[in-house]
Amino acid sequence: MTGTGRITLDGVSFSYRADRAAGADEVFGVVETDTTTPVEPGRGVSDITLSCPPGSLTVLCGPSGSGKSTVLRLINGLAPNFHPGDISGTVRVSGADMPTTPLSEVGGLSATVFQNPRTQFFTSTVTTELAFTPENFGAAPPEIRARVTEAAERCGISGLLGRKLSTLSGGQLQRVACTCAVVAGVPVLLLDEATSNLSPTAVDELATLLAELKSEGTTIITAEHRLHHLRDLADTVHYLRDGRIERSFTGREFFTLDDDTRRRLGLRSLTRPVAPVPTADPGAPADTDGLELRDIRFSYGSRTVLDIPHMVFPAGTVTGLTGPNGAGKTTLARLICGLGNPAGGGRVSLAGRPLSARDRAANGYIVMQDTGRQLFADTVIGEVTLGTDGDHGGEHAAELLAALGLADTATRHPLSLSGGQRQRLVIATALAQNKRIYVFDEPTSGVDLAHLDAIAAKLRELAEGGAVVIVISHDAELISACCDRVIELTPHLTENESEE
């Protein structure tokens, strides 16, 4: 194929239609199974022109909802073939005209890592998921096994082979999704917020992998809010706002922007943020109103995930909970909020009173990594007012939406929002509840600088109102902005098991 790996968009405009997207059975074997997501008619991108030669790395940045994901959908053919809409201009990948390329052929042109990796998995285990693409394209079993083994080693997930996807953390799922893209062995790699749930170590490992793929001739486009790891990798950076490329930079120009300019553009740090240092003794004496955990153990089958003798989260305080992917942070969050029970003998107490699972659910609220699981209403404002009282609830909801930059989305369907906007919507819904315990699991994945600051301010307000606030995050910028104390959760390693 001529021009293998070359990407060109020339004067491309795209606006979504309200039509229902194609069903999964019509596009089986493509990449995304979140097929019924509504979109707001008319929203999209305008006059996008860019060129990415083979072996280059291009960064798309800009505010949440600026059109970055839509550009990626145009390149991988999901728009308009999967997400219906009206398109003008030309989109070519390795010489193929993407709007007319059958979706069954797209997998041979590019691989995409989505912000929510759960939307692109088709099987139940890591090994079968890695094998899915080469098997779908008719590779022989010995070749499939070799490619899976090699990619797993290269991406540092060999220890996850054979594991059920349902037992993995969000960060581990993202690493599996990246490995699936490597297994595909295609000339173009597209990443949509692929670092949003990764630990700092895993981000560094991804940057190393991207450097290797780039040196081998892979063309890479990544849409990101976390930018620092791309400092020595980016050839071109396009800044999008309101569906248009507002500014373009060389990688060198972009990463020498002064701090004032960066902040005016609403961009996250261009240098590696200082990692938060654990500042809290997990087993310090509980305060009168705080949350106390004793002898908390939890296992998935024979695999022990948590073994915590004693841990305290004071009321009126924002506590950051950090640790590597797979350390059990999300599992602990679920236990705290009554979505599971620790093994016999474990105890969760609030203000000195032991709590049953029902008590924990009544007193706690969790913002999950996969925000799509927490959206139930048919409008944004309806989502925030769900379960609240009358007129006062509506007024409070409007204030929360305004504070989190969502006022102009109030009448939209929640699932028509971008990933970062959905994240903020679920946070607004949490803030509208009158709870004593709040757990936020990676609340700034897919979130730009202005909205990170707004989220941090709202979390501080919750704590100042006397709530127990727990922030699970790898985001050093967020932790620095809002946390009073930091606890690091280390993985529980059994015999012959290594930390991922």
Side-chain angles (χ1 to χ4, degrees):
M1 182 181 293
T2 59
T4 300
R6 182 174 295 277
I7 301 169
T8 57
L9 280 72
D10 187 8
V12 179
S13 296
F14 177 80
S15 59
Y16 290 99
R17 289 200 303 263
D19 310 24
R20 183 183 178 90
D25 55 340
E26 299 173 55
V27 291
F28 185 75
V30 186
V31 280
E32 188 175 36
T33 58
D34 184 11
T35 60
T36 58
T37 300
V39 292
E40 184 181 30
R43 294 182 70 88
V45 294
S46 301
D47 196 25
I48 302 294
T49 296
L50 56 85
S51 179
C52 309
S56 64
L57 191 149
T58 300
V59 179
L60 306 178
C61 64
S64 298
S66 60
K68 301 184 294 297
S69 294
T70 298
V71 172
L72 295 183
R73 289 172 179 170
L74 290 165
I75 294 169
N76 63 23
L78 294 181
N81 298 314
F82 191 68
H83 300 280
D86 300 310
I87 186 170
S88 61
T90 59
V91 183
R92 293 190 177 276
V93 176
S94 297
D97 181 65
M98 294 313 295
T100 60
T101 298
L103 284 173
S104 58
E105 298 177 14
V106 167
L109 297 172
S110 67
T112 306
V113 179
F114 293 96
Q115 182 175 345
N116 179 2
R118 291 179 177 87
T119 65
Q120 65 188 91
F121 293 146
F122 289 90
T123 71
S124 60
T125 72
V126 173
T127 304
T128 55
E129 193 61 43
L130 296 179
F132 181 83
T133 296
E135 184 177 29
N136 208 31
F137 281 92
E143 179 188 349
I144 294 173
R145 285 191 288 269
R147 286 167 65 174
V148 167
T149 300
E150 179 185 358
E153 290 176 354
R154 187 174 192 181
C155 298
I157 68 162
S158 296
L160 299 181
L161 291 176
R163 291 273 301 277
K164 290 184 177 181
L165 292 168
S166 61
T167 68
L168 302 185
S169 70
Q172 288 173 320
L173 290 173
Q174 276 188 315
R175 296 179 71 179
V176 172
C178 289
T179 309
C180 288
V182 173
V183 170
V186 290
V188 170
L189 175 61
L190 309 173
L191 304 105
D192 193 356
E193 302 290 352
T195 65
S196 57
N197 293 325
L198 296 183
S199 68
T201 299
V203 171
D204 291 342
E205 291 171 351
L206 176 61
T208 299
L209 175 63
L210 294 181
E212 292 174 358
L213 293 172
K214 180 182 172 184
S215 70
E216 294 167 5
T218 303
T219 309
I220 303 168
I221 300 184
T222 178
E224 271 285 4
H225 287 298
R226 296 172 75 179
L227 298 162
H228 62 88
H229 64 289
L230 300 167
R231 168 172 288 273
D232 298 318
L233 293 174
D235 296 296
T236 304
V237 179
H238 296 294
Y239 175 82
L240 281 77
R241 184 185 292 276
D242 298 327
R244 296 179 178 272
I245 296 178
E246 188 173 279
R247 297 181 65 176
S248 296
F249 308 84
T250 66
R252 183 184 298 274
E253 290 169 343
F254 182 76
F255 284 98
T256 55
L257 290 176
D258 62 74
D259 206 49
D260 287 342
T261 301
R262 172 187 69 83
R263 293 192 68 87
R264 280 199 303 272
L265 293 173
L267 298 173
R268 305 281 293 272
S269 177
L270 302 183
T271 58
R272 185 186 180 103
V274 178
V277 177
T279 57
D281 174 7
D287 68 347
T288 5
D289 300 316
L291 185 72
E292 184 174 17
L293 283 59
R294 285 194 179 276
D295 300 321
I296 300 299
R297 297 178 181 82
F298 188 86
S299 301
Y300 292 107
S302 61
R303 181 183 178 84
T304 301
V305 179
L306 296 173
D307 188 356
I308 301 173
H310 189 214
M311 189 172 286
V312 171
F313 298 97
T317 298
V318 181
T319 301
L321 188 62
T322 67
N325 295 130
K329 302 183 296 296
T330 296
T331 299
L332 179 59
R334 292 172 59 85
L335 295 182
I336 288 173
C337 292
L339 299 179
N341 280 313
R347 188 178 68 181
V348 179
S349 302
L350 180 64
R353 184 174 70 86
L355 302 179
S356 66
R358 177 175 295 191
D359 293 333
R360 299 197 301 275
N363 284 278
Y365 198 98
I366 182 172
V367 173
M368 301 176 181
Q369 288 183 29
D370 186 356
T371 52
R373 297 183 177 187
Q374 293 183 267
L375 298 173
F376 304 102
D378 57 2
T379 65
V380 167
I381 191 73
E383 193 69 52
V384 182
T385 56
L386 198 63
T388 62
D389 295 327
D391 295 336
H392 175 71
E395 293 172 3
H396 189 207
E399 293 171 1
L400 289 172
L401 291 178
L404 294 174
L406 294 171
D408 62 346
T409 70
T411 59
R412 287 176 58 182
H413 194 291
L415 294 181
S416 75
L417 305 181
S418 72
Q421 289 171 323
R422 292 187 203 183
Q423 192 81 33
R424 284 179 275 135
L425 173 56
V426 177
I427 291 170
T429 302
L431 297 173
Q433 309 299 312
N434 184 25
K435 301 291 184 178
R436 298 176 66 186
I437 304 165
Y438 290 89
V439 182
F440 298 88
D441 195 353
E442 296 292 356
T444 52
S445 61
V447 169
D448 58 29
L449 177 64
H451 296 123
L452 181 147
D453 290 341
I455 290 168
K458 284 298 178 184
L459 300 188
R460 292 288 328 145
E461 284 183 24
L462 273 182
E464 288 165 4
V468 174
V469 181
I470 303 169
V471 178
I472 299 172
S473 184
H474 297 296
D475 192 336
E477 290 177 89
L478 173 67
I479 291 176
S480 298
C482 71
C483 292
D484 303 296
R485 59 201 293 273
V486 179
I487 295 174
E488 182 175 12
L489 190 63
T490 56
H492 179 83
L493 302 180
T494 57
E495 188 177 359
N496 298 322
E497 183 180 16
S498 60
E499 179 181 330
E500 281 298 324

